[in-house]
Amino acid sequence: MTSNLTADVVVIGFGKGGKVTAAALGRAGRRVILIERSDQMYGGTCPNVGCVPTKQLVHHSSKRRPDDSPEEWFERSIAEVQALTSTFRAGNYNALNDAENITLLTGTASFVDEHTVAVGDVRITAETILINTGSESVIPNIPGLRESPRTVTNVDLIHTAHLPGRLAVIGGGYQGIEFASIYRRFGTQVTVLESSDRILGREDDDVAAVAADILTGEGVEIVAGAEVLEIRDEDTVVYRKGGREHTLTVDAILAATGRAPVTAGLRLENAGVRTTASGAIEVDSYLRTSQPHIFALGDVNGGPQFTYISLDDSRIVLDQLLGSGKRSTADRVAVPQTLFMSPPLATVGLTEKAAREAGYRVRIGMQNVADIIAMPRAYIVEETRGAMKFVIDAETDEILGAALLSVDAQELINVVTLAMRHRITAAELRDSIYTHPSSTEAFNDVLATIVR
């Protein structure tokens, strides 16, 4: 028997943007119903199958000693990862389940019309609807790949306590390289198959080369210019390079070729919500869909696929619903990102290549971490691999972009990002006073190397 509910706001998806918006609206007195299709995804991708578990695996992989059994160490690490994600999942659920004016429903949501959403036999009508369903891994249409039991996604790897002896990674982008680094440090033989002429195609050649040297130094095999043709006999990757076919027999195949917005089953057409050619929900700069009372937050709207962007999306939507309505995606300046290989690679802004193509006259500051005299912390923690690179506007001395491949890069990039947002010059960042010994003081040296 169908039951009917009413609410001021329905939120579809328990990701970062959805949960933050729901909590704030509940505190403001709005009646909110938050719908999540899986009881294993309270809190969204990041704490359950994304940022948190993968970064914990990065941490555990670096702690393994030579005399530790790789299989046993990995099994213990996965157990600790699952314990942590369970804690976070319960914390996210309890925080909203106990909140005033918020009702949680677990089930698959679909639109009945522009103001009504169905979850099983429950129909919910609301004035405002927020879609926060995230994204999912894409498995490319390579013959045999989808059918092979050896094919895994990043989610499968996080839930698997068995350490593969040999792993093939299809794709040399951020996700592929992160997992290649993690599993190699656990003891897996890893081969990265990248169709382009090098990995990390979004980065400058010199930065990508340093990253590749670190990975190959740890034993990761990188095969650039590799066209994967098929998966044969479930465990054999057939690829072409240099006009010749090669085969690779593996225990697992990670498809790391991108993520797509999750919209299947939402029946967006019933609500008149349009999607883009890439399958993302079409939004304006205020995150309104083709229906002004329906908003899309996070990965599902086709923007940068980061948890912190989903959080910023919540600020935009809350400003629409509770504030002045002026905040928009156009306000975003200098959005950083980090690849958690070991050491991490963090970037922000323009690469040197992009800056020159945009017509800037630039100056470049770049140093290998091992040569940065003002960074003894790298030696203290025994991690001197990597390099730091800054791209500077020669006319204004403002920072156009940076690539930091070093210990603590995931923290350092936030300092650079803040400087860029407030138009602090390279000279000011170079001459600032930093604690010692710290990684930040590396800026004193690197920014002193700037040349035309």
Side-chain angles (χ1 to χ4, degrees):
M1 183 174 180
T2 301
S3 60
N4 298 306
L5 299 175
T6 60
D8 295 315
V9 181
V10 166
V11 180
I12 306 173
F14 203 149
K16 185 71 168 183
K19 71 177 183 181
V20 171
T21 309
L25 291 172
R27 289 192 299 270
R30 305 286 180 90
R31 294 170 300 156
V32 180
I33 294 179
L34 174 58
I35 305 164
E36 172 51 52
R37 66 177 178 175
S38 170
D39 61 6
Q40 296 301 299
M41 290 296 287
Y42 300 135
T45 295
C46 185
N48 292 295
V49 296
C51 326
V52 171
T54 55
K55 279 50 177 183
Q56 192 178 19
L57 285 177
V58 171
H59 173 67
H60 280 285
S61 69
S62 65
K63 291 171 60 180
R64 185 175 72 86
R65 297 167 303 204
D67 56 342
D68 288 323
S69 163
E71 292 79 9
E72 292 179 4
W73 183 259
F74 182 75
E75 187 175 347
R76 289 197 299 271
S77 298
I78 289 291
E80 291 193 31
V81 164
Q82 293 175 349
L84 180 63
T85 57
S86 294
T87 298
F88 280 14
R89 188 160 52 249
N92 277 297
Y93 178 85
N94 292 334
L96 291 191
N97 190 51
D98 297 337
E100 190 175 0
N101 299 318
I102 296 177
T103 301
L104 299 182
L105 292 180
T106 302
T108 301
S110 62
F111 281 92
V112 177
D113 57 45
E114 60 201 54
H115 281 284
T116 308
V117 173
V119 182
D121 294 330
V122 180
R123 287 196 172 192
I124 309 147
T125 301
E127 178 183 346
T128 302
I129 300 175
L130 313 182
I131 305 171
N132 182 223
T133 48
S135 62
E136 60 189 357
S137 296
V138 174
I139 298 179
N141 191 25
I142 296 171
L145 182 62
R146 295 177 182 176
E147 296 78 17
S148 173
R150 307 295 175 96
T151 299
V152 294
T153 65
N154 63 304
V155 175
D156 297 323
L157 286 178
I158 289 168
H159 288 145
T160 302
H162 173 69
L163 181 68
R166 188 169 190 95
L167 171 68
V169 178
I170 301 177
Y174 269 44
Q175 185 185 82
I177 294 305
E178 184 165 293
F179 275 92
S181 177
I182 290 170
Y183 277 79
R184 179 65 200 118
R185 290 171 75 85
F186 271 114
T188 296
Q189 295 297 313
V190 179
T191 301
V192 176
L193 301 170
E194 168 55 43
S195 59
S196 301
D197 58 0
R198 64 171 175 82
I199 62 170
L200 302 176
R202 290 183 295 181
E203 311 305 332
D204 282 326
D205 290 348
D206 48 8
V207 173
V210 175
D213 285 346
I214 290 172
L215 291 164
T216 56
E218 291 200 335
V220 175
E221 181 184 12
I222 298 174
V223 184
E227 178 191 2
V228 179
L229 303 175
E230 66 171 321
I231 309 303
R232 185 184 299 161
D233 300 327
E234 297 184 348
D235 64 353
T236 302
V237 182
V238 182
Y239 65 94
R240 180 186 293 118
K241 177 178 171 62
R244 296 178 54 191
E245 286 193 8
H246 304 263
T247 59
L248 180 66
T249 302
V250 296
D251 301 297
I253 307 163
L254 172 63
T257 53
R259 297 177 64 83
V262 175
T263 57
L266 284 175
R267 297 185 179 177
L268 296 172
E269 66 277 7
N270 290 346
V273 173
R274 294 194 298 265
T275 57
T276 68
S278 64
I281 293 177
E282 183 181 294
V283 293
D284 62 15
S285 61
Y286 300 101
L287 303 182
R288 292 184 184 271
T289 70
S290 48
Q291 293 286 0
H293 67 284
I294 302 177
F295 296 80
L297 303 80
D299 293 3
V300 76
N301 67 27
Q305 295 177 342
F306 305 123
T307 295
Y308 42 92
I309 290 296
S310 186
L311 173 62
D312 197 57
D313 282 355
S314 74
R315 298 173 183 137
I316 293 170
V317 172
L318 285 169
D319 191 46
Q320 289 290 306
L321 299 179
L322 300 176
S324 65
K326 295 180 180 179
R327 187 167 187 150
S328 77
T329 56
D331 299 326
R332 290 176 183 155
V333 177
V335 177
Q337 58 185 322
T338 301
L339 160 62
F340 281 85
M341 55 183 286
S342 297
L345 167 62
T347 62
V348 66
L350 298 176
T351 61
E352 177 183 355
K353 179 181 179 182
R356 293 188 188 280
E357 289 177 347
Y360 287 99
R361 188 166 65 86
V362 301
R363 296 182 296 153
I364 304 299
M366 185 170 182
Q367 260 188 307
N368 292 326
V369 170
D371 298 329
I372 302 175
I373 298 173
M375 194 180 177
R377 172 163 165 74
Y379 285 89
I380 292 169
V381 300
E382 299 178 312
E383 181 54 277
T384 58
R385 297 175 300 173
M388 293 187 180
K389 180 176 183 178
F390 283 85
V391 181
I392 309 300
D393 186 334
E395 303 293 336
T396 65
D397 197 42
E398 291 182 10
I399 302 164
L400 298 174
L404 311 178
L405 176 51
S406 72
V407 60
D408 300 329
Q410 77 279 9
E411 304 292 348
L412 295 174
I413 202 66
N414 293 320
V415 176
V416 178
T417 299
L418 191 62
M420 291 174 64
R421 288 175 185 157
H422 292 277
R423 307 187 73 173
I424 293 171
T425 65
E428 289 176 296
L429 196 65
R430 178 196 66 208
D431 296 336
S432 290
I433 300 172
Y434 304 109
T435 56
H436 176 80
S438 70
S439 293
T440 321
E441 61 183 335
F443 299 160
N444 295 146
D445 265 18
V446 180
L447 289 168
T449 70
I450 292 175
V451 296
R452 293 187 182 276

